[in-house]
């Protein structure tokens, strides 16, 4: 028996993927019993291997299944969180779009504020310059306080001098007024002398020219007009007296006329006609419009009542009247 067992060779096998190879240490003798034994060993080894694989698979499932399920749950949670974040991002995007207009308006306002700040800064700089100038003036005024104090002490004296000066000014103004009146009087006298030298006579602010040739009333008025005057008007008893006395009893045309037989009397120099005053100057019974052709007036008598109406185309001496106008200096 021992000899037989010692002669049986030891079996060896290798596993390469799913193939199982068995070989003896030494090549076995090629007998029928050996082949059967070899197949049984191969089947046994395969069963053992499959058992080991199943055990390994069960162990792997027992170990990795909880981890896999946990990982899957975490993935779902992360997916939900990611979805919520995406929704938040979408809402934030729409909010950003809505606020974009407000941001642009705020940008415009910021620009306006910046411009206003620029103007304020410029104004502040001008104020600073003004303050510097004011400080310089204050320093000058401060230096002048001593002079002001000196002037304050001299105010009573200056006031007395001012009073004296005021009195002197009044006297000077009085003298100036007197000198001006004298100047005007001398100038008037000079004007009067010049007019008198030309044949005019002066009476109470008017010059009168007593002609030496006879003319019709219209020709006489034309003569006076050429000399910046008119046939004389009469506005007072003193003027009437001056005229008839200077006329010396000779008939002279004056500037009183009327239009038509029923017309009203008027002065040719547009002086208002005073009917009440004129009644004192007509000769009694005049004006009578004799022959319905006496439309002009003359001085006929050497008396206060000396006016007479006569035909305008009759030739008489005449009197021109010209108001005094100061000549140019």
């Amino acid at each position: 028996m021992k000899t037989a067992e010692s002669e049986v060779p030891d079996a060896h096998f290798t596993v390469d993927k799913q193939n199982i190879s068995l070989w003896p240490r030494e090549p076995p003798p090629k007998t029928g019993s050996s082949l059967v034994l070899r197949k049984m060993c191969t089947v046994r080894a395969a069963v053992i291997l499959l058992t080991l694989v199943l055990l390994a698979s069960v162990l792997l499932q027992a170990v990795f299944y909880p981890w896999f399920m946990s990982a899957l749950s975490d993935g779902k949670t992360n997916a939900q969180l990611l979805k919520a974040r995406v929704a938040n991002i979408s809402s934030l995007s729409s909010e950003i779009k809505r606020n974009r207009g407000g941001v642009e308006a705020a940008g415009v306002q910021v620009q306006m504020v910046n411009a206003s700040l620029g103007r304020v800064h410029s104004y502040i700089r001008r104020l600073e310059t003004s303050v510097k100038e004011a400080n310089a003036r204050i320093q000058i005024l401060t230096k002048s306080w001593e002079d002001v104090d000196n002037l304050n002490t001299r105010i009573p004296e200056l006031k007395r001098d001012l009073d004296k000066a005021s009195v002197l000014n009044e006297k000077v103004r009085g003298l100036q007024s007197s000198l001006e009146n004298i100047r005007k009087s001398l100038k008037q006298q000079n004007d009067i002398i010049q007019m008198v030298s030309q044949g005019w006579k002066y009476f109470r602010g008017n010059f009168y020219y007593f002609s030496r040739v006879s003319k019709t009333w219209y020709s006489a008025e034309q003569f006076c007009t050429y000399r910046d005057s008119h046939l004389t008007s009469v506005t007072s008893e003193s003027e009437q007296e001056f005229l008839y006395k200077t006329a010396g009893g000779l008939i002279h045309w004056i500037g009183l006329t009327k239009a038509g037989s029923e017309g009203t009397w008027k002065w040719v120099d547009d002086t208002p006609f005073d009917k009440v005053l004129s009644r004192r100057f007509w000769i009694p019974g005049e004006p009578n419009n004799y022959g319905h052709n006496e439309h002009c007036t003359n001085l006929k008598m050497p008396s206060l009542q000396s006016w007479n109406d006569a035909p305008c185309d009759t030739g008489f001496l005449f009197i021109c009247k010209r108001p005094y106008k100061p000549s140019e200096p």
Side-chain angles (χ1 to χ4, degrees), residues 86-100:
V86 169
N88 290 334
I89 290 172
S90 298
S91 63
L92 288 174
S93 176
S94 61
E95 186 67 23
I96 288 170
K97 290 180 180 178
R98 286 195 300 270
N99 292 333
R100 184 176 297 170

Side-chain angles (χ1 to χ4, degrees), residues 50-71:
L50 290 173
T51 302
L52 290 174
V53 171
L54 290 173
L55 289 173
S57 176
V58 171
L59 288 173
L60 288 173
Q61 288 181 3
V63 172
F64 290 103
Y65 182 74
W67 174 83
F68 177 75
M69 293 303 293
S70 176

Side-chain angles (χ1 to χ4, degrees), residues 26 58 146-147 183 228 253 306 313 327:
E26 295 179 359
V58 171
E146 294 181 358
D147 296 337
R183 186 189 68 80
D228 195 22
W253 286 121
S306 59
D313 55 356
S327 61

Side-chain angles (χ1 to χ4, degrees), residues 134-182:
N135 289 332
R137 292 179 181 178
I138 289 172
Q139 291 178 358
I140 294 172
L141 290 174
T142 302
K143 293 179 181 179
S144 302
W145 277 117
E146 294 181 358
D147 296 337
V148 172
D149 291 337
N150 293 331
L151 289 174
N152 286 332
T153 57
R154 294 185 58 191
I155 284 177
E157 181 181 356
L158 292 174
K159 191 174 182 180
R160 289 192 296 270
D161 293 340
L162 183 61
D163 293 338
K164 293 179 181 178
S166 297
V167 174
L168 290 175
N169 286 333
E170 289 294 334
K171 292 182 179 179
V172 168
R173 283 194 291 269
L175 290 175
Q176 288 177 343
S177 178
S178 299
L179 289 174
E180 181 65 19
N181 291 333
I182 292 172

Side-chain angles (χ1 to χ4, degrees), residues 27-39:
K30 296 180 181 180
T31 61
S33 62
S34 298
L35 181 60
V36 173
L37 181 61
R38 195 181 320 167
K39 290 181 179 180

Side-chain angles (χ1 to χ4, degrees), residues 215-218 253 257-258 293-296 310-315:
K215 292 181 177 293
T216 64
W217 188 94
Y218 297 106
W253 286 121
T257 184
K258 69 176 181 178
N293 191 30
E294 296 182 336
H295 299 158
C296 296
C312 299
D313 55 356
T314 307

Side-chain angles (χ1 to χ4, degrees), residues 7 25 46 52 62 96 113 145 197 215 236 264 289:
E7 290 178 356
R25 289 181 180 177
L52 290 174
I96 288 170
V113 170
W145 277 117
S197 65
K215 292 181 177 293
S236 64
T264 58
N289 194 21

